[in-house]
Amino acid sequence: MMMEGMTQRWKEVLDRMACAARRAGRQPDSVRLVAVSKLHSADAVRALFESGQREFGENYVQEAQAKMAVLPPEISWHFIGHLQTNKARNVVGRFSLIHGVDSLKLARSLHDRAKALGLVQDILVQVNLAAETQKSGILEADLPGLAEFLTGCTHLRWQGLMLMPPFFDDPERARPYFARLNVLAQSLRVGFGLPLPDLSMGMTGDFEAAIEEGATLVRIGTRIFGERGTN
Ligand SMILES: *Cc1c(COP(=O)(O)O)cnc(C)c1O
């Protein structure tokens, strides 16, 4: 019963994503869903995988590793949590995309690990657009230094930007932040000559506004799996 409801909600999310893309004159397949499975069971992930979902997002390294160990290798895992520099070695090579790179120090340690493993790790830079003190993300003012480093990085492939806007009940209030991340990505593309194809923004409460403002990856948990900490 619970799993049936979940598959139904997942389909509704995909429909709403496609509608939002069309409203913005974009192809529906230009936006991908990262189903955020943190604090939900491996069985729930498996059920959604069997319905066709391939990309899942996790915030905690140990929890993610426990799921990876028992779930199909076709799953593409995204690390969307806050990453401490000393944990960098645990994520490189295990996740298809690391969303939360927000300092030179962290980028360096991810790069060193990727180099030691002989692989190229895809990453996004998380930007703290509102300069909220409690929040992860690099300040806009510090972005050029990090961008400079990433441009010369042989073992990190910088794929774009990630955003957690300030929390609002009304998604329309988050919209200006989504629009601004899009403009910022465009100026970085021009300034650094990089493709930076991905914008990771939009969650359960505001993914449609994010897509209308250019998101290519939306990270949705609650809307699909239900409230966290109940199973
Ligand atoms: C938990 C989380 C999400 C999903 O949030 P929902 O509101 O449950 O959709 C998205 N992004 C990040 C970074 C998260 O930590």
Side-chain angles (χ1 to χ4, degrees):
M1 276 298 276
M2 192 201 90
M3 298 291 183
E4 265 172 46
M6 183 182 69
T7 301
Q8 190 54 40
R9 290 193 298 273
W10 170 73
K11 283 185 182 153
E12 282 165 15
V13 164
L14 291 177
D15 283 346
R16 285 170 59 183
M17 286 171 58
C19 288
R22 285 197 199 91
R23 277 199 298 279
R26 303 176 55 198
Q27 296 292 332
D29 68 3
S30 68
V31 194
R32 280 144 54 208
L33 170 63
V34 178
V36 176
S37 48
K38 65 167 176 238
L39 305 179
H40 290 283
S41 68
D43 284 343
V45 174
R46 190 191 314 278
L48 212 55
F49 171 81
E50 282 165 5
S51 301
Q53 177 66 27
R54 287 293 174 271
E55 296 181 273
F56 291 87
E58 290 281 339
N59 290 53
Y60 311 104
V61 178
Q62 283 187 339
E63 182 189 345
Q65 278 181 270
K67 286 175 189 161
M68 287 172 186
V70 299
L71 288 165
E74 293 88 348
I75 290 181
S76 162
W77 296 96
H78 291 238
F79 191 80
I80 64 169
H82 175 66
L83 197 54
Q84 280 157 354
T85 305
N86 61 354
K87 299 275 175 62
R89 58 183 297 107
N90 299 330
V91 296
V92 173
R94 294 203 165 109
F95 292 86
S96 55
L97 185 62
I98 298 171
H99 289 229
V101 178
D102 64 356
S103 71
L104 200 50
K105 197 172 159 218
L106 176 57
R108 281 216 175 91
S109 86
L110 293 169
H111 180 261
D112 291 348
R113 179 65 177 162
K115 192 171 179 183
L117 292 173
L119 52 82
V120 177
Q121 174 68 57
D122 283 356
I123 61 128
L124 300 178
V125 168
Q126 181 175 357
V127 189
N128 185 353
L129 278 183
E132 293 171 279
T133 47
Q134 300 295 339
K135 216 162 219 172
S136 310
I138 193 163
L139 296 174
E140 249 184 282
D142 299 328
L143 196 47
L146 180 56
E148 197 71 55
F149 173 75
L150 290 173
T151 304
C153 247
T154 46
H155 293 267
L156 296 180
R157 189 185 299 121
W158 183 20
Q159 292 286 64
L161 301 178
M162 185 267 210
L163 173 70
M164 290 270 282
F167 178 79
F168 301 112
D169 284 322
D170 177 4
E172 287 309 312
R173 295 187 61 196
R175 186 185 293 275
Y177 293 92
F178 297 141
R180 211 162 119 215
L181 197 75
N182 197 344
V183 169
L184 187 57
Q186 187 52 29
S187 73
L188 290 167
R189 286 180 195 115
V190 172
F192 291 88
L194 295 167
L196 301 180
D198 282 319
L199 283 183
S200 169
M201 57 186 192
M203 306 174 22
T204 287
D206 55 18
F207 68 92
E208 286 156 306
I211 291 168
E212 286 165 8
E213 299 303 332
T216 66
L217 292 167
V218 290
R219 311 176 307 265
I220 301 177
T222 309
R223 184 65 219 143
I224 297 166
F225 293 104
E227 294 293 333
R228 286 180 280 274
T230 54
N231 59 342

